[in-house]
Amino acid sequence: MMRMTVLASGSKGNSTLVASSRTRVLVDAGLSCRELMRRMAIAGEDPSALDAILITHEHLDHVAGLAVLARKLRIPVFFTEQTHRAWVRMLTPKTTMTYAKWLDHLQQEKEAKAAQATVQESGRSAEDLCEIPAVSLEDVQAEEDAPPAVKADPSALPAVEYFLAGTNFCIGDIDITPFTIPHDAADPCGFVFAAEGIRMAIATDLGYMPPNVKQAIAGSDVLLLESNHDLEMLRDGPYPWSVKQRVLSRVGHLSNHATAEFLSRDYDGGAAYIVLGHLSESNNAPELARISAEQAVGDRMRLLGNRILLAEQAQPLESIQL
């Protein structure tokens, strides 16, 4: 048996649990640790039974609770190397120096050099040396043994594992195929999970459906697919034009129309469940996404057995078990 439980899906946070009879993997941790634990409890999942966390990309709605959750559960996190580096950079505090501070810094360096030159030119007398307080060996040893003051590293994780898009790997008894997706992140990926003869795929946060994604998700029994926005609602909606351009771009998000086009033209019809995810709260309506997908699937009689579900932002979707 395999099961998929979408804990949250949308611009405010994404997380999905995929499990076989022996292995449990959390895909993304885009809510706070506390909220993720709460939603797992609602869904009847035991957080302490998780084996790993798998990250699609470094955007905040996919990693907001990652570090705290991983440290709390003491489980490894799987990234591509580029995604891990981008995530660490995102958490590393950025220090900037104003022009005034830079001038002060230059002045301090100049004064320090002048003072050092004065000492070297004048030399130091025996009396000056006698005035220097003695330092005991015990003091030196105590200073060396003292633990350094280290600030907590916000990106610290119990363990990090790297994978490569296009290269299969396993977590427990689940075989995982990561595939590259077109999105404006460092190295974004979707995934196909296979165990016990069942295939489950996650393909969200992609600006369009390239051939490699279509090929990767073919033959899936459960398909979590993005249906982010309605084109007219986005164009007339509250977002700034720059954000609208990003969403509509080839590294943005799939519209209801683009998802329906894939379902009517390229979808192989093999999934028992199609889950529509990452629906925009501002630029979409659940029923618009559902009707668009149902019409696309319904136009092909052999696909009428497919069940279309909507993943929600506010609460977990009931677990899908096959």
Side-chain angles (χ1 to χ4, degrees), residues 14-36:
N14 298 270
S15 188
T16 300
L17 191 146
V18 177
S20 68
S21 56
R22 295 194 292 114
T23 305
R24 292 169 177 80
V25 176
L26 190 69
V27 183
D28 291 334
L31 302 173
S32 70
C33 174
R34 179 178 306 219
E35 182 63 14
L36 286 168

Tab-separated table of all heavy atoms in Angstrom, residues 14-36:
chain	number	residue	atom	x	y	z
A	14	ASN	N	3.413	24.820	1.396
A	14	ASN	CA	3.195	23.544	0.719
A	14	ASN	C	3.902	22.419	1.465
A	14	ASN	O	5.056	22.579	1.888
A	14	ASN	CB	3.729	23.608	-0.708
A	14	ASN	CG	3.014	24.644	-1.554
A	14	ASN	OD1	2.013	24.340	-2.188
A	14	ASN	ND2	3.511	25.871	-1.544
A	15	SER	N	3.214	21.304	1.581
A	15	SER	CA	3.817	20.128	2.202
A	15	SER	C	2.950	18.913	1.905
A	15	SER	O	1.724	18.981	2.015
A	15	SER	CB	3.957	20.314	3.717
A	15	SER	OG	4.706	19.263	4.295
A	16	THR	N	3.597	17.812	1.515
A	16	THR	CA	2.883	16.582	1.173
A	16	THR	C	3.626	15.388	1.747
A	16	THR	O	4.850	15.304	1.639
A	16	THR	CB	2.774	16.419	-0.357
A	16	THR	OG1	2.076	17.536	-0.900
A	16	THR	CG2	2.049	15.136	-0.731
A	17	LEU	N	2.889	14.477	2.354
A	17	LEU	CA	3.501	13.263	2.893
A	17	LEU	C	3.236	12.099	1.942
A	17	LEU	O	2.098	11.881	1.535
A	17	LEU	CB	2.921	12.970	4.279
A	17	LEU	CG	3.645	11.885	5.083
A	17	LEU	CD1	3.609	12.227	6.569
A	17	LEU	CD2	3.023	10.506	4.866
A	18	VAL	N	4.300	11.394	1.587
A	18	VAL	CA	4.191	10.208	0.738
A	18	VAL	C	4.727	9.031	1.539
A	18	VAL	O	5.836	9.103	2.092
A	18	VAL	CB	4.982	10.372	-0.577
A	18	VAL	CG1	4.917	9.093	-1.402
A	18	VAL	CG2	4.440	11.549	-1.387
A	19	ALA	N	3.956	7.953	1.596
A	19	ALA	CA	4.346	6.828	2.446
A	19	ALA	C	4.088	5.500	1.759
A	19	ALA	O	3.128	5.348	0.997
A	19	ALA	CB	3.586	6.877	3.769
A	20	SER	N	4.983	4.562	2.045
A	20	SER	CA	4.757	3.163	1.714
A	20	SER	C	4.423	2.459	3.027
A	20	SER	O	4.235	3.108	4.061
A	20	SER	CB	6.006	2.551	1.074
A	20	SER	OG	7.051	2.472	2.041
A	21	SER	N	4.382	1.142	3.024
A	21	SER	CA	4.089	0.435	4.271
A	21	SER	C	5.247	0.521	5.262
A	21	SER	O	5.066	0.325	6.455
A	21	SER	CB	3.776	-1.037	3.979
A	21	SER	OG	4.853	-1.641	3.277
A	22	ARG	N	6.468	0.880	4.773
A	22	ARG	CA	7.634	0.906	5.664
A	22	ARG	C	8.349	2.251	5.724
A	22	ARG	O	9.191	2.460	6.603
A	22	ARG	CB	8.662	-0.165	5.226
A	22	ARG	CG	8.153	-1.581	5.375
A	22	ARG	CD	9.267	-2.601	5.270
A	22	ARG	NE	9.846	-2.675	3.935
A	22	ARG	CZ	11.081	-2.326	3.637
A	22	ARG	NH1	11.878	-1.833	4.559
A	22	ARG	NH2	11.526	-2.456	2.393
A	23	THR	N	8.042	3.182	4.820
A	23	THR	CA	8.810	4.427	4.728
A	23	THR	C	7.870	5.617	4.612
A	23	THR	O	6.848	5.534	3.919
A	23	THR	CB	9.744	4.384	3.496
A	23	THR	OG1	10.557	3.211	3.567
A	23	THR	CG2	10.638	5.622	3.453
A	24	ARG	N	8.252	6.704	5.290
A	24	ARG	CA	7.457	7.931	5.227
A	24	ARG	C	8.366	9.105	4.889
A	24	ARG	O	9.350	9.350	5.594
A	24	ARG	CB	6.743	8.188	6.557
A	24	ARG	CG	5.659	7.168	6.861
A	24	ARG	CD	5.170	7.292	8.295
A	24	ARG	NE	4.087	6.361	8.587
A	24	ARG	CZ	4.263	5.076	8.865
A	24	ARG	NH1	5.488	4.565	8.896
A	24	ARG	NH2	3.228	4.291	9.115
A	25	VAL	N	8.013	9.832	3.837
A	25	VAL	CA	8.818	10.963	3.368
A	25	VAL	C	7.926	12.197	3.304
A	25	VAL	O	6.814	12.141	2.765
A	25	VAL	CB	9.418	10.679	1.970
A	25	VAL	CG1	10.170	11.899	1.448
A	25	VAL	CG2	10.340	9.466	2.025
A	26	LEU	N	8.423	13.308	3.834
A	26	LEU	CA	7.710	14.581	3.736
A	26	LEU	C	8.313	15.389	2.601
A	26	LEU	O	9.513	15.647	2.596
A	26	LEU	CB	7.822	15.361	5.051
A	26	LEU	CG	6.929	16.599	5.166
A	26	LEU	CD1	5.458	16.178	5.262
A	26	LEU	CD2	7.318	17.445	6.374
A	27	VAL	N	7.485	15.763	1.634
A	27	VAL	CA	7.946	16.569	0.504
A	27	VAL	C	7.627	18.032	0.806
A	27	VAL	O	6.464	18.425	0.852
A	27	VAL	CB	7.271	16.136	-0.811
A	27	VAL	CG1	7.826	16.946	-1.976
A	27	VAL	CG2	7.469	14.647	-1.043
A	28	ASP	N	8.664	18.802	1.063
A	28	ASP	CA	8.578	20.225	1.410
A	28	ASP	C	8.023	20.424	2.822
A	28	ASP	O	7.283	19.586	3.349
A	28	ASP	CB	7.757	21.017	0.389
A	28	ASP	CG	8.460	21.143	-0.954
A	28	ASP	OD1	9.702	21.087	-0.978
A	28	ASP	OD2	7.767	21.297	-1.979
A	29	ALA	N	8.418	21.566	3.397
A	29	ALA	CA	7.993	21.922	4.757
A	29	ALA	C	7.713	23.421	4.761
A	29	ALA	O	8.427	24.201	5.394
A	29	ALA	CB	9.074	21.547	5.769
A	30	GLY	N	6.665	23.816	4.053
A	30	GLY	CA	6.402	25.228	3.828
A	30	GLY	C	5.535	25.911	4.863
A	30	GLY	O	5.132	27.062	4.672
A	31	LEU	N	5.213	25.222	5.949
A	31	LEU	CA	4.514	25.814	7.086
A	31	LEU	C	5.434	25.760	8.297
A	31	LEU	O	6.478	25.111	8.266
A	31	LEU	CB	3.224	25.041	7.380
A	31	LEU	CG	2.199	24.950	6.245
A	31	LEU	CD1	1.069	24.011	6.648
A	31	LEU	CD2	1.648	26.318	5.892
A	32	SER	N	5.057	26.418	9.370
A	32	SER	CA	5.866	26.356	10.586
A	32	SER	C	5.907	24.930	11.107
A	32	SER	O	5.026	24.108	10.804
A	32	SER	CB	5.281	27.270	11.661
A	32	SER	OG	4.051	26.751	12.139
A	33	CYS	N	6.927	24.636	11.894
A	33	CYS	CA	7.054	23.293	12.476
A	33	CYS	C	5.803	22.931	13.265
A	33	CYS	O	5.262	21.838	13.135
A	33	CYS	CB	8.294	23.244	13.365
A	33	CYS	SG	8.482	21.688	14.272
A	34	ARG	N	5.321	23.857	14.081
A	34	ARG	CA	4.136	23.587	14.899
A	34	ARG	C	2.916	23.275	14.032
A	34	ARG	O	2.166	22.342	14.320
A	34	ARG	CB	3.851	24.799	15.785
A	34	ARG	CG	2.625	24.636	16.661
A	34	ARG	CD	2.428	25.860	17.542
A	34	ARG	NE	3.623	26.137	18.304
A	34	ARG	CZ	3.620	26.544	19.573
A	34	ARG	NH1	2.466	26.728	20.182
A	34	ARG	NH2	4.731	26.801	20.204
A	35	GLU	N	2.728	24.053	12.954
A	35	GLU	CA	1.577	23.830	12.097
A	35	GLU	C	1.695	22.525	11.329
A	35	GLU	O	0.687	21.819	11.136
A	35	GLU	CB	1.399	25.007	11.135
A	35	GLU	CG	0.191	24.919	10.221
A	35	GLU	CD	-1.143	24.913	10.937
A	35	GLU	OE1	-1.186	25.244	12.146
A	35	GLU	OE2	-2.153	24.570	10.285
A	36	LEU	N	2.894	22.191	10.894
A	36	LEU	CA	3.090	20.913	10.202
A	36	LEU	C	2.778	19.742	11.128
A	36	LEU	O	2.117	18.772	10.719
A	36	LEU	CB	4.525	20.806	9.685
A	36	LEU	CG	4.855	21.662	8.458
A	36	LEU	CD1	6.358	21.699	8.222
A	36	LEU	CD2	4.138	21.134	7.214
